[in-house]
């Protein structure tokens, strides 16, 4: 059996020039009030990111503080250079969480 690629398919392959991109996943995310003091509530957000592809790349991750309705109120952006299979953890203390107290929520989002 012979596989024949139509002419437009060959042209698309020749013209695309695309290179494969690394793929990243959040493998763990958590929060705790460990950065709180007696006077102010604070939420420490931790996100672990893994490069689950075979090529190196830079992950851009947003650690987000959310209000009670799930709307983003603050964002800390981190850039991580990860090789194939590498994992890295980033942490940020959101002192702004005192506005929401223990109702504060968070998210780890890869762009």
């Amino acid at each position: 059996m012979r596989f024949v690629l139509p002419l437009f398919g060959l042209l698309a392959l020749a013209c695309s020039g695309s290179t494969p991109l690394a793929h990243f996943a959040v493998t763990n995310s958590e929060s705790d009030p460990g950065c709180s003091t007696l006077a102010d509530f604070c939420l420490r957000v931790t996100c672990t990111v893994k490069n689950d592809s075979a090529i190196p790349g830079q992950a851009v991750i947003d650690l987000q503080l959310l209000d009670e309705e799930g709307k983003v109120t603050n964002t800390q952006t981190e850039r991580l250079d990860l090789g194939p299979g590498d994992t890295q953890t980033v942490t940020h203390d959101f002192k702004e969480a005192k506005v929401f107290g223990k109702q504060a929520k968070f998210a780890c989002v890869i762009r």
Side-chain angles (χ1 to χ4, degrees), residues 21 27 34 60 67 94 107:
L21 299 175
T27 58
V60 179
D67 66 12
F94 285 101

Side-chain angles (χ1 to χ4, degrees), residues 19-63:
T19 56
L21 299 175
H23 182 265
F24 305 97
V26 174
T27 58
N28 188 33
S29 61
E30 58 189 32
S31 68
D32 69 73
C35 56
S36 297
T37 63
L38 289 176
D40 288 321
F41 179 77
C42 176
L43 190 68
R44 177 170 292 141
V45 173
T46 302
C47 305
T48 302
V49 179
K50 179 178 182 178
N51 179 347
D52 58 5
S53 65
I55 59 174
Q58 185 179 73
V60 179
I61 183 164
D62 289 334
L63 290 79

Side-chain angles (χ1 to χ4, degrees), residues 5 10-11 13-14 30 39 42 46 69 73 84 88 97-98 103 108:
L5 187 64
L10 286 173
L11 289 174
L13 283 175
E30 58 189 32
C42 176
T46 302
E69 298 171 1
T73 62
Q88 189 170 342
K98 66 183 174 188
Q103 309 307 315
C108 299

Side-chain angles (χ1 to χ4, degrees), residues 54-95:
I55 59 174
Q58 185 179 73
V60 179
I61 183 164
D62 289 334
L63 290 79
Q64 300 175 336
L65 178 65
L66 311 174
D67 66 12
E68 302 88 357
E69 298 171 1
K71 294 180 185 171
V72 177
T73 62
N74 294 85
T75 300
Q76 173 67 32
T77 301
E78 299 287 341
R79 288 175 167 40
L80 309 173
D81 291 316
L82 298 172
D86 287 352
T87 300
Q88 189 170 342
T89 300
V90 292
T91 301
H92 182 70
D93 293 346
F94 285 101
K95 297 186 183 342

